[in-house]
């Protein structure tokens, strides 16, 4: 999670066209869902069970709408919990008041179990909040500061390859580093796809592992999910994020620009990168955490890179700020129309029962076509 100061936003999005209608699911269409930063739903310092119930509602919606949307895959972009702490302490007094990390992981586990009990393939990556030492601060009676971020003890216990969510699942291909990197293979639209989940600012060792996965699945159209990648739109800019100094200073981890140069651009079959992490400060219950960047890889193919982070939005069904835990039920969907050769990105809240960016409406204070837009199939999907 990273908040950025809110600014006036220009309406300039490369390669986007506003989708004017809802596409019904058909045999020629399938959908993937993106679950953005969920930490506020599980945060024990925020109203509960209001938060975890919103996350459970999201998961149930995905299961219930599988047939309607032809839902083929779900990806979580990280920051599953708010207070990562691998010591299982019962709480610290200082910045936070007697919270229990295990409770947050248990909340997340409960909600994800709704999805994992279905037959929908899915993948998960950790965010900065999910590392074992994230919540170590120099507060009174605290354990002291601890950076760079490290460890995946709790991640592995709850969402690793041997967890009940992934063990024995045929579509779960394998993992690396306590399950913080993983891959899945799913089928949709008459072909196989590879989903590659990478830890936040992956290390060279993680990229070496990823290259082995690519080599073993050569030619499969590939989606990459990682926690940090792209800043939200400020004035039409599409800069990649870089929080290396805040979280990994002195470690081997690579910020997004380096990952692009060393791995993404050199791998022709990767056509999409999905991320969260970056959002603007909340104003009157509204935050902006969306953007799209399109770069050409070394093969001359476009790679669609998007951030979708709704954690700063707190307007609930009553229309009032702070009536929902941050996130307010918003989900990103991407519909693949194999007949029209289009990708339709759209945004929906299960809590508010509302689509963002429809009929010219700007749910997040920015141009509607950040929330609802269509791009062409890249060559990776037509080969």
């Amino acid at each position: 999670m990273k908040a950025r100061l809110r600014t006036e936003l220009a309406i300039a999005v490369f390669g986007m066209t506003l989708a004017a209608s809802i596409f019904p699911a058909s045999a020629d269409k399938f959908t993937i869902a993106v679950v953005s930063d969920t930490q506020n739903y599980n945060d024990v310092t925020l109203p509960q069970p209001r938060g975890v119930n919103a996350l459970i509602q999201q998961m149930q919606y995905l299961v219930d709408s599988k047939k309607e949307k032809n839902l083929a895959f779900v990806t979580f972009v990280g920051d599953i919990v708010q207070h990562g702490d691998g010591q299982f302490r019962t709480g610290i007094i200082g910045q936070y008041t007697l919270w229990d990390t295990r409770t947050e992981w248990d909340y997340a586990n409960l909600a994800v179990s709704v999805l994992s009990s279905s037959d929908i393939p899915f993948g998960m990556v950790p965010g900065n909040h999910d590392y074992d030492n994230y919540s170590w601060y120099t507060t009174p009676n605290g354990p002291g500061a601890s950076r760079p971020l490290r460890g995946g003890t709790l991640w592995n216990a709850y969402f690793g390859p041997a967890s009940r969510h992934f063990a024995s699942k045929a579509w779960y291909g394998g993992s690396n580093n306590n399950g913080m990197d993983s891959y899945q293979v799913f089928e949709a639209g008459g072909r196989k796809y590879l989903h590659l989940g990478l830890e936040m600012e992956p290390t060279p060792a993680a990229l070496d592992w990823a290259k082995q996965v690519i080599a073993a699945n050569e030619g499969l159209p590939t989606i990459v999910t990682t926690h940090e990648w792209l800043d939200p739109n400020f004035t039409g800019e599409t800069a990649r994020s870089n929080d290396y100094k805040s979280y990994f200073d002195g470690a081997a981890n690579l910020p997004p620009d380096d990952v692009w140069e060393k791995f993404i651009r050199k791998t022709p079959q990767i056509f999409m990168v999905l991320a969260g992490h970056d959002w603007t400060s909340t104003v009157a219950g509204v935050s902006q955490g969306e953007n799209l960047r399109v770069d050409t890889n070394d093969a001359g193919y476009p790679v669609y890179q998007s951030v979708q982070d709704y954690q700063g939005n707190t307007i609930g069904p009553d229309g009032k700020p702070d009536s929902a835990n941050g996130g307010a039920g918003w989900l990103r969907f991407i519909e693949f129309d194999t007949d029209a050769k289009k990708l339709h990105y759209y945004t929906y809240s299960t809590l508010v029962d509302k689509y963002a960016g429809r009929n010219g409406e700007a749910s997040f204070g920015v141009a509607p076509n950040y929330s609802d837009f269509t791009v062409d199939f890249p060559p990776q999907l037509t080969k």
Side-chain angles (χ1 to χ4, degrees):
M1 173 192 73
K2 176 178 61 175
R4 294 188 180 276
L5 295 178
R6 192 176 184 83
T7 63
E8 293 298 319
L9 302 174
I11 304 174
V13 185
F14 176 77
M16 293 187 182
T17 56
L18 180 63
S21 62
I22 301 173
F23 296 136
S26 73
D28 297 319
K29 300 174 184 177
F30 66 90
T31 303
I32 66 171
V34 185
V35 183
S36 83
D37 308 46
T38 63
Q39 67 258 49
N40 292 319
Y41 299 135
N42 299 315
D43 189 341
V44 296
T45 71
L46 295 178
Q48 295 294 356
R50 184 180 78 177
V52 67
N53 283 345
L55 182 55
I56 291 171
Q57 181 186 49
Q58 284 186 318
M59 299 300 101
Q60 191 62 57
Y61 176 83
L62 295 175
V63 173
D64 292 345
S65 62
K66 179 193 174 185
K67 182 177 180 181
E68 172 194 351
K69 296 181 181 298
N70 198 8
L71 187 61
F73 192 79
V74 177
T75 180
F76 293 73
V77 300
D79 277 359
I80 305 301
V81 300
Q82 189 76 279
H83 304 113
D85 178 0
Q87 297 300 303
F88 276 144
R89 289 173 291 119
T90 57
I92 61 173
I93 299 173
Q95 183 166 346
Y96 305 104
T97 304
L98 294 177
W99 46 265
D100 180 357
T101 296
R102 188 184 289 271
T103 299
E104 295 191 357
W105 288 95
D106 286 342
Y107 281 160
N109 187 54
L110 176 65
V112 174
S113 293
V114 175
L115 182 62
S116 65
S117 296
S118 75
D119 59 356
I120 301 172
F122 68 98
M124 304 176 72
V125 299
N128 46 298
H129 284 256
D130 303 321
Y131 283 78
D132 285 348
N133 62 328
Y134 175 77
S135 290
W136 290 27
Y137 297 96
T138 53
T139 50
N141 300 315
S146 181
R147 293 293 184 272
L149 294 179
R150 65 182 185 276
T153 305
L154 299 191
W155 184 266
N156 189 47
Y158 280 86
F159 301 117
S163 71
R164 60 175 175 161
H165 305 297
F166 299 122
S168 302
K169 296 293 178 67
W171 43 261
Y172 190 87
S175 67
N176 174 62
N177 190 21
N178 284 325
M180 300 180 83
D181 307 300
S182 67
Y183 76 95
Q184 298 78 33
V185 176
F186 65 95
E187 293 193 37
R191 70 184 307 171
K192 290 183 177 180
Y193 288 79
L194 172 66
H195 174 262
L196 187 59
L198 296 176
E199 62 200 72
M200 183 179 177
E201 299 202 357
T203 63
L207 294 188
D208 287 343
W209 171 84
K211 292 172 183 176
Q212 293 174 16
V213 173
I214 292 290
N217 295 275
E218 186 176 1
L220 292 189
T222 300
I223 299 166
V224 172
T225 298
T226 191
H227 183 59
E228 178 197 11
W229 192 261
L230 187 64
D231 286 336
N233 179 270
F234 298 125
T235 57
E237 298 176 357
T238 57
R240 293 197 187 95
S241 179
N242 188 342
D243 281 349
Y244 177 82
K245 290 289 186 182
S246 297
Y247 299 119
F248 298 106
D249 195 19
N253 299 70
L254 300 170
D257 277 336
D258 289 351
V259 176
W260 169 262
E261 292 294 335
K262 295 177 182 296
F263 177 58
I264 303 292
R265 70 174 300 165
K266 296 179 178 180
T267 310
Q269 67 194 61
I270 296 175
F271 69 95
M272 182 180 289
V273 179
L274 301 168
H277 184 63
D278 293 282
W279 55 294
T280 62
S281 299
T282 303
V283 177
V286 177
S287 167
Q288 150 65 351
E290 297 176 319
N291 209 351
L292 176 73
R293 172 172 176 148
V294 185
D295 288 296
T296 301
N297 64 23
D298 288 352
Y301 305 152
V303 180
Y304 299 120
Q305 305 148 72
S306 63
V307 57
Q308 38 275 304
D309 185 352
Y310 307 108
Q311 65 176 288
N313 293 280
T314 65
I315 295 177
D318 62 0
K320 298 178 180 179
D322 301 320
S323 62
N325 286 36
W330 291 102
L331 294 164
R332 167 60 57 87
F333 293 94
I334 306 170
E335 183 181 68
F336 292 57
D337 188 330
T338 60
D339 185 28
K341 301 294 189 292
K342 298 289 185 180
L343 299 175
H344 175 208
Y345 291 65
Y346 65 95
T347 311
Y348 173 73
S349 170
T350 55
L351 184 66
V352 183
D353 188 20
K354 175 183 176 182
Y355 291 91
R358 295 279 168 89
N359 301 315
E361 185 273 339
S363 298
F364 309 119
V366 294
N369 56 349
Y370 284 100
S371 302
D372 196 313
F373 59 92
T374 301
V375 296
D376 294 329
F377 260 30
Q380 297 94 316
L381 300 186
T382 59
K383 292 170 69 69

